[in-house]
Amino acid sequence: MNTKDSPTAGLAESLLKKLRQVTFLLLDVDGIRTNGRLPFDADGRECKTFHVHDGAGVAYWRRVGHGVGFLSGRDSVPVRKRAEELGVTEVHLGRGRKLEVLEDISTRLDLEPEQICYMGDDFLDLPVLRKVGVPITVPLARPEVKDVCVYVTETPAGQGAVREVVEQLLKAQGRFREILDASGLPPGGEQP
């Protein structure tokens, strides 16, 4: 995707219209926020690696007043810790029935499907991807997942794919310049 010519170069108008409506970003974890690998240390503790660009993307999305949530079939202490660092309060881990979580979030936050973008990569994500207004995935997602998504990132999972999506959302909504003009810093200039 060429973003040099214009903020949303290469995106179809139908996709831009969908991106403009999004106010809540819901993210699968393994295979979206991470590269999908599940490393364990010698004591059997799970380790996770998160890309700083994805974390910054989450911070930028929240900074313009939008919501973020993590939704995973697996529970994970490192994910809970990273969510806390990023100020993400909608954290739903160890939840195989993801559609139930989506319905709960939608009801509690009074969100229409069109307002929600979900990033997922595997079969557990299909019910949610089919329900939201903007289903998005990554290059290594299962083919059946790609078939229901309106956008497949160029960036691999765990290497900035979430940031790519956040930037496209912010550009479509005319909010990207706010982040860029502030050099990514929050209001007041303090570090996140």
Side-chain angles (χ1 to χ4, degrees), residues 9 31 44 54 73 87 111:
D54 288 334
L111 295 168

Side-chain angles (χ1 to χ4, degrees), residues 68-138:
V68 179
F70 295 165
L71 173 57
S72 179
R74 302 183 76 251
D75 201 345
S76 170
V77 171
V79 174
R80 290 187 186 282
K81 173 85 170 123
R82 187 64 175 139
E84 182 181 326
E85 290 172 352
L86 294 171
V88 176
T89 56
E90 289 292 335
V91 182
H92 306 274
L93 307 179
R95 303 294 299 270
R97 297 185 184 276
K98 293 184 174 189
L99 187 56
E100 293 174 3
V101 176
L102 173 69
E103 291 168 349
D104 173 64
I105 290 171
S106 298
T107 300
R108 282 188 298 101
L109 302 182
D110 195 26
L111 295 168
E112 296 296 325
E114 298 78 25
Q115 294 176 277
I116 303 170
C117 172
Y118 181 64
M119 291 182 71
D121 69 314
D122 212 339
F123 299 151
L124 274 180
D125 301 306
L126 283 170
V128 176
L129 290 165
R130 289 183 179 123
K131 194 80 167 176
V132 299
V134 183
I136 294 179
T137 196
V138 293

Side-chain angles (χ1 to χ4, degrees), residues 9-25:
L11 297 184
E13 185 56 39
S14 59
L15 177 56
L16 288 172
K17 183 178 178 182
K18 290 175 186 255
L19 296 179
R20 288 182 191 116
Q21 297 180 66
V22 174
T23 61
F24 192 85
L25 180 60

Side-chain angles (χ1 to χ4, degrees), residues 31 57 61 72 80 90 116 135 143-144 151 164 169 181 188:
W61 186 247
S72 179
R80 290 187 186 282
E90 289 292 335
I116 303 170
E144 298 83 358
Y151 182 88
E164 177 184 329
L169 287 163
D181 287 347

Side-chain angles (χ1 to χ4, degrees), residues 8 30 32 47 75 87 93 103 110 112 128 138-139 162 166 170 185-186 190 192:
T8 54
D30 297 310
I32 296 294
C47 305
D75 201 345
L93 307 179
E103 291 168 349
D110 195 26
E112 296 296 325
V128 176
V138 293
V162 172
V166 167
L170 292 173
L185 293 172
E190 64 277 1

Side-chain angles (χ1 to χ4, degrees), residues 144-160:
E144 298 83 358
V145 170
K146 289 180 181 178
D147 287 346
V148 302
C149 288
V150 298
Y151 182 88
V152 177
T153 65
E154 291 181 5
T155 310
Q159 296 181 36

